[in-house]
Every structure is written in C-alpha cells, then in structure tokens.
Amino acid sequence: MWWFRRNKTIGLALSSGGARGLAHLGVLKALREKDVQIRAIAGSSIGSLIGAYYCLKGEIDSLIRIAHETDWRRLLGLLDINPLTLSRGGLLEGKRIEQFLKELFADATFSDCGIPLVVVATDLRTGRAVEISEGPLWKAVRASIGIPGLLSPVEMGSYLLTDGGVASPIPVITLKKRGYRPIWAVNVLASTPRYPVSRQQLGVLEVLEQSLLLMENIVAKTQSQLADGCIEVDTSDVPFYDFTKAKDLIPRGETVAHRYL
C-alpha cells in the first residue's frame, strides 16, 4: 500500500447495513482526523446516504448530531405505515422518509458535490446494480435505501429501483471501473446477526433482517476482496432497524478505523 502511504488519497466504498451503517460516520471521522483525502465515494443503501452527505457538505459533524438526537420517538415518526401501499411493493408509504431526505439534501444534485459520488441501487426488473451519478441527491438515496418489502421501489427512467444492498452491498467495482485506486471498503456486514435459531424466539423483523443480512453478508465478502483495503466493523449485536444506537456505533467505527490506520 505504498501509494496510500505516499499521498493518503483513497476511493471509498461504503456498505449497506441499515442502522449498522451508522458506524460509517465513525470511520469517516477517523479518516478526517488522519488527513486521509477521499477522491470519490460509492455508497449502497445507508452507505449512499452517509456518502452523499459527506460528498456534498465535506463534513459529517452535523449528520453525527442528527444521529445522536435520533430516539425511538423520532424514528417512529418517520414510519408512515399504510397497508394500501402493499400493492406498490412496500409496507411504508415512504413520504415522511422522502421529506427527511429533502430536508437533508434540499435541492442539491450530484453536480453540487465537491467529491465525486456514485449511489448504487438495484433494478428489480433485471436484478442488476444501477449506478446513479446525476440528478437530485435525495431521490437517488431514496432509491438506494428502499429495504425490500418495507419501502416501495422507486421508478427512475426504465428502472424500478430498490435497496442497493441486494445487488451490490459494497460497491468496490463501481469505483474500480472509474479508475480510482487505492480503494478502501468499509464493511459493516462482516458478521451475521446474533439471533437465536428457535422459531418461537424470532419475530417478523428478525426473520426479515436475518434473511437480508445473510444474503448481503455473502456477497459483501466477495466484493470486499476486490478492494485494496477493508475496514470491517463488527455490528452483529445491532438490529438493522435500530437507529438509536449512534452513540455506540459511531465510536465503534472510529476505533476500528484508527486501529486500521
């Protein structure tokens, strides 16, 4: 890794992982503290949200504050459950989440980013990863975070887009194709959830999470091997839906990144 030691410049691929991805904030914080220059970011699902914010703002302190302020009351306020939307592919209508993203990114587009950004989603029609690098940031992120069955897919051109983690949980290849090197991956999917195997002890959310993360875990391992370096954060004790764990996950990501550096 002599090329990194010489100029401390990298391309960064941020994994999917739901709430576990809050650890990305800690990793980015550590990279900034060590003056690591990020040339480009490719993000999938939660990695796309955090990556988009960093590329647009050039900092993550304000996003960390939002994460710290998120409690169950605020989290539940984003969930507009509507059984009628099941016919459109999701239990949640998604309007409140879209409003949150619009407030976070306003009218910003990819061209407003100071750092090149690629958001990765999955096309339900073909099963292929779709790389988004133009248009409104909020809409691209909304497509990438659409957890199958919970958030309805997003129509974008000829694509019907859902969670990027389905096809590309760690989009290293997205950066490789664009000529960036070295590329580091941040993987919060390295460990599977610590859940009991007894059917009586599993709820609907646990079954959904275990199924999705087991699938993403396998693909993530393969994709992370394409990177020149990989920061793996063990988040296996955190459910994918528990965004109230920022005060634990952010320092965890920061500690692992400092150790890696």
Side-chain angles (χ1 to χ4, degrees):
M1 298 175 67
W2 60 268
W3 57 86
F4 167 70
R5 289 194 293 270
R6 185 175 65 183
N7 56 26
K8 285 192 172 183
T9 301
I10 62 171
L12 195 64
L14 300 178
S15 77
S16 57
R20 296 166 161 212
L22 292 173
H24 290 320
L25 292 169
V27 172
L28 284 168
K29 188 170 183 288
L31 294 179
R32 282 178 60 84
E33 290 170 355
K34 292 295 185 180
D35 296 321
V36 176
Q37 303 300 310
I38 299 173
R39 292 181 61 203
I41 292 179
S44 186
S45 198
I46 183 64
S48 77
L49 191 158
I50 293 172
Y53 192 91
Y54 187 80
C55 289
L56 178 65
K57 305 286 187 178
E59 55 89 13
I60 38 86
D61 292 341
S62 40
L63 190 56
I64 287 176
R65 284 196 295 273
I66 294 172
H68 281 163
E69 292 168 0
T70 299
D71 54 19
W72 280 109
R73 182 176 180 180
R74 184 171 185 173
L75 187 58
L76 292 172
L78 293 173
L79 307 182
D80 46 2
I81 297 175
N82 186 350
L84 296 178
T85 63
L86 284 173
S87 61
R88 296 197 292 272
L91 179 61
L92 302 180
E93 194 166 3
K95 296 297 183 184
R96 295 178 188 173
I97 291 176
E98 288 182 4
Q99 184 58 39
F100 168 75
L101 293 175
K102 289 176 182 177
E103 291 173 0
L104 198 62
F105 296 109
D107 297 324
T109 67
F110 282 82
S111 61
D112 295 313
C113 293
I115 299 171
L117 167 74
V118 184
V119 167
V120 178
T122 301
D123 181 21
L124 278 175
R125 295 189 173 109
T126 64
R128 295 177 180 173
V130 174
E131 300 171 350
I132 309 170
S133 57
E134 59 183 19
L137 289 178
W138 77 264
K139 190 170 185 180
V141 172
R142 166 63 180 86
S144 185
I145 65 172
I147 300 173
L150 291 183
L151 272 175
S152 55
V154 174
E155 293 270 6
M156 193 176 290
S158 61
Y159 301 118
L160 184 61
L161 301 177
T162 190
D163 197 315
V166 174
S168 186
I170 309 183
V172 175
I173 192 67
T174 297
L175 295 175
K176 269 187 174 293
K177 289 190 300 185
R178 288 163 172 78
Y180 293 106
R181 194 179 182 199
I183 299 169
W184 286 9
V186 184
N187 185 8
V188 301
L189 297 164
S191 302
T192 52
R194 298 173 187 165
Y195 281 132
V197 294
S198 170
R199 189 179 66 179
Q200 287 73 25
Q201 294 174 287
L202 290 174
V204 173
L205 283 177
E206 285 77 17
V207 171
L208 176 62
E209 176 182 19
Q210 188 80 347
S211 301
L212 287 174
L213 292 182
L214 283 172
M215 173 193 68
E216 291 185 19
N217 174 270
I218 295 170
V219 181
K221 284 182 179 178
T222 300
Q223 293 184 336
S224 66
Q225 291 172 358
L226 299 174
D228 299 292
C230 184
I231 299 173
E232 294 187 346
V233 186
D234 185 354
T235 60
S236 57
D237 57 322
V238 179
F240 83 101
Y241 53 82
D242 192 353
F243 284 87
T244 69
K245 300 292 187 182
K247 292 181 180 178
D248 173 23
L249 287 170
I250 294 173
R252 196 183 303 189
E254 187 176 3
T255 298
V256 172
H258 274 300
R259 189 181 305 134
Y260 185 83
L261 291 167

